[in-house]
Amino acid sequence: MRVLPVKVFGDNYAYLLVDESRHTAAVVDPGDAAPVREWLARGGLRLTAILATHHHEDHVGGIGELCSVFPDVPVLGSAEDKGRIPHQTVFLDDGEGVEAAGMRGLVIATPGHTRGGLAYFFPAPLGGDLFAGDTLFGGTMGNLFEGTPARMLETLRRLRDLPPRTRLWPGHEYTESGVRDALRLQPDDAVLIARLAAVESALARDGRTIPLSLDEERRVNPFLRWDDPAIRALLGTASDTATFKKLCEVL
Ligand code: ZN
Ligand code: FE
């Protein structure tokens, strides 16, 4: 699948999922319409679907304008977010299928950051593409505005179990600060030190670190390492839930 990231408001990402043969695209999390319309126009693409990961304004703020320009476009989001996502027409539950840009995707409920959070996973032969909204970022995770650590742990466990070669497309460019925070916890960790250097050069070169690799995040992101013996030793914890809760306190 061809994914075109669109920078919104400085550090937000909207994503165009492009169907080249039909000259159409779906958009994930259009926080603002203008940059999305610009990229659609530039590619000669017609918008065919809007996918929202959650109801926060920086992810849905552009939906109204896009719906006025493309009046029949379906707006997909969680059934839990009914009344919170503008112009929503499709109310999704965990495990449902979605169609976007000629690809079949899977809806994964991701309660934690918000109670109606969703991730969209588009499988491919060797991995797939995961649009995770504000649930999982490079080196860190989203704030627990409407969820508990226990809830978020179960959400992240499901995302971590996706195929290792999955490309992770997060809702924000937070990777550098995420990795720096992880380094505060483990200042001498060689994997993290190397990751920070790679992140800095990617930012200098491209201004972005996406797509992230799910496999790499499993190794560098402390919030995916609740069962890592080194993290447990550092925090003095013994179970998944205790370790994750402690990570939420110290990071
Ligand atoms: Zn959010
Ligand atoms: Fe956000």
Side-chain angles (χ1 to χ4, degrees), residues 12 53-59 113-114 133-135 137 143 145 172:
N12 267 85
T53 61
H54 65 296
H55 74 287
H56 284 160
E57 182 67 15
D58 60 321
H59 300 255
H113 177 65
T114 63
D134 288 357
T135 295
F137 302 119
N143 290 319
F145 290 125
H172 291 264

Side-chain angles (χ1 to χ4, degrees), residues 20-81:
E20 315 238 285
S21 62
R22 293 191 182 85
H23 304 284
T24 59
V27 66
V28 177
D29 284 356
D32 188 14
V36 173
R37 291 178 64 184
E38 188 186 319
W39 279 97
L40 287 169
R42 207 182 285 190
L45 300 165
R46 183 170 52 88
L47 188 68
T48 53
I50 297 172
L51 282 65
T53 61
H54 65 296
H55 74 287
H56 284 160
E57 182 67 15
D58 60 321
H59 300 255
V60 303
I63 293 179
E65 185 180 327
L66 290 173
C67 283
S68 68
V69 180
F70 301 95
D72 296 323
V73 160
V75 178
L76 289 68
S78 169
E80 279 280 328
D81 274 342

